[in-house]
Amino acid sequence: ELWHEPDTPGRQQAYSQAELLVGPSLRGRPLEVAPPIEQIASLLDMRIISPSKRSLLQMGFPIYSLTTHLTTLLSKGWTVIVIDELDTGKSGPKQRAVSQVYSPCCNLEDCSELPYVLSIYFTQDYLLGITLFSAMNGHSIMFPVSWADRDRVGRLLISYCIREIVIWVDSGVGPEILTNKIYSLLIGWNLFPSEPNAKVEVMG
């Protein structure tokens, strides 16, 4: 179930692959990012409603339909959190708790491959901290690498099924580093989404 309050300021930015391949002087403003509720409604071909004439928007599906939509959501990079209502036997407000979490790199329903999370830490002195981690079996690899040796890492990553990427940037690194270096890195490592209309969204 998703809820959204229209006209709420967001802190997301999106860039297309074509924009990131050109130089900063030719790059336009970041693309507008549709609210998650609109993206998922479009992905699952569902309708958004506004219950009780309130400004909040709502959409969702019953829990028994989760298996129908789970693969679609995970393939597009969404994380699904299942929250169950607890039977406490007491009156008053209902209590709820997280019972399951599905993400592109952690889906126990599909063990056909071993997915990994790639974490990249970018410092001011052009040193990269690389971590590969699999939530499925706990296997992890951590190592530093200089910007000049980044191509060697790309050859290593070919052996791993990377489903999620987390990027950390040192607080002293300017915003241009994020778009000029990090995204160039993802494209060079063939980790940027291959779909023509794919976007990378930035929260900050």
Side-chain angles (χ1 to χ4, degrees), residues 56-76:
L56 289 175
L57 302 178
Q58 177 191 11
M59 69 148 290
F61 52 83
I63 187 64
Y64 59 76
S65 298
L66 177 61
T67 53
T68 303
H69 303 300
L70 186 60
T71 300
T72 301
L73 291 168
L74 296 182
S75 68
K76 295 300 181 181

Side-chain angles (χ1 to χ4, degrees), residues 20-128:
L20 296 173
L21 286 171
V22 302
S25 60
L26 300 177
R27 187 177 299 141
R29 297 176 58 187
L31 304 172
E32 291 187 6
V33 180
I37 192 171
E38 294 182 11
Q39 296 182 48
I40 293 180
S42 175
L43 179 63
L44 301 181
D45 193 22
M46 292 185 175
R47 189 164 58 95
I48 299 173
I49 63 173
S50 181
S52 305
K53 298 182 179 180
R54 293 183 294 175
S55 61
L56 289 175
L57 302 178
Q58 177 191 11
M59 69 148 290
F61 52 83
I63 187 64
Y64 59 76
S65 298
L66 177 61
T67 53
T68 303
H69 303 300
L70 186 60
T71 300
T72 301
L73 291 168
L74 296 182
S75 68
K76 295 300 181 181
W78 291 99
T79 294
V80 179
I81 301 174
V82 179
I83 300 177
D84 290 337
E85 191 172 283
L86 303 179
D87 184 10
T88 61
K90 300 179 181 179
S91 59
K94 299 291 185 181
Q95 296 187 27
R96 296 174 174 84
V98 174
S99 62
Q100 290 174 300
V101 177
Y102 300 94
S103 75
C105 74
C106 185
N107 178 17
L108 297 178
E109 305 295 331
D110 180 10
C111 300
S112 59
E113 57 186 357
L114 190 61
Y116 279 80
V117 178
L118 170 64
S119 173
I120 306 172
Y121 180 71
F122 199 95
T123 68
Q124 297 184 60
D125 53 0
Y126 294 93
L127 183 66
L128 301 172

Side-chain angles (χ1 to χ4, degrees), residues 119-160:
S119 173
I120 306 172
Y121 180 71
F122 199 95
T123 68
Q124 297 184 60
D125 53 0
Y126 294 93
L127 183 66
L128 301 172
I130 306 296
T131 301
L132 281 163
F133 173 72
S134 174
M136 303 288 282
N137 66 357
H139 179 244
S140 64
I141 303 174
M142 294 181 287
F143 57 91
V145 63
S146 66
W147 179 259
D149 292 330
R150 63 189 182 279
D151 290 341
R152 297 182 182 180
V153 179
R155 292 192 289 270
L156 169 68
L157 297 180
I158 294 175
S159 305
Y160 295 89

